[in-house]
């Protein structure tokens, strides 16, 4: 069973995400997604697109100027691996 978290971002402008709902194993894992994004740096290929921290049902990223809060909102048995379930994007 995974936990559900709501990530909220501040300083939202056009073409920014303002939040997301994610399934994660822990609060620290959800904060890691909010802090560092979904992609992981691979030293061999010098690329971020090698693998993802979370499966994507939706996209999510935080700009460097945005702060965030993460709040646990429930649990789920539907997801068996960390997943970006839903996000909110402010299109310009």
């Amino acid at each position: 069973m995974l936990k559900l978290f709501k990530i909220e971002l501040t300083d939202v402008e056009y073409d920014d995400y303002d939040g997301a709902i994610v399934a994660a194993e822990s609060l620290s894992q959800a904060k890691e997604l909010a802090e560092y994004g979904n992609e992981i740096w691979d030293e061999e290929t010098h690329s971020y697109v090698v693998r993802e921290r979370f499966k994507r049902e939706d996209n999510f990223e935080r700009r460097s100027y945005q702060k965030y809060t993460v709040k646990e909102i429930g649990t789920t048995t539907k997801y068996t691996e960390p997943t970006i379930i839903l996000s909110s994007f402010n299109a310009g």
Side-chain angles (χ1 to χ4, degrees):
M1 179 180 326
L2 294 177
K3 297 177 180 182
L4 293 172
F5 295 93
K6 180 180 181 182
I7 301 172
E8 291 182 284
L9 302 176
T10 63
D11 302 318
V12 179
E13 298 178 6
Y14 292 116
D15 296 333
D16 285 345
Y17 288 93
D18 65 19
I21 303 295
V22 301
E25 296 169 356
S26 64
L27 175 61
S28 62
Q29 188 178 47
K31 284 182 176 180
E32 187 174 287
L33 170 69
E35 185 69 29
Y36 302 111
N38 197 39
E39 295 157 352
I40 297 175
W41 178 257
D42 185 290
E43 289 294 332
E44 289 183 22
T45 64
H46 299 284
S47 170
Y48 280 105
V49 191
V50 172
R51 77 181 163 104
E52 299 173 327
R53 300 171 195 277
F54 282 62
K55 180 180 172 192
R56 293 181 192 222
E57 288 193 359
D58 208 342
N59 293 317
F60 177 74
E61 79 177 53
R62 179 183 69 91
R63 307 260 188 207
S64 60
Y65 57 82
Q66 292 179 293
K67 299 201 182 308
Y68 64 90
T69 58
V70 180
K71 178 181 176 184
E72 185 176 337
I73 59 172
T75 59
T76 181
T77 55
K78 178 178 178 176
Y79 299 95
T80 58
E81 61 185 308
T83 305
I84 301 169
I85 299 169
L86 177 70
S87 63
S88 175
F89 183 76
N90 295 281

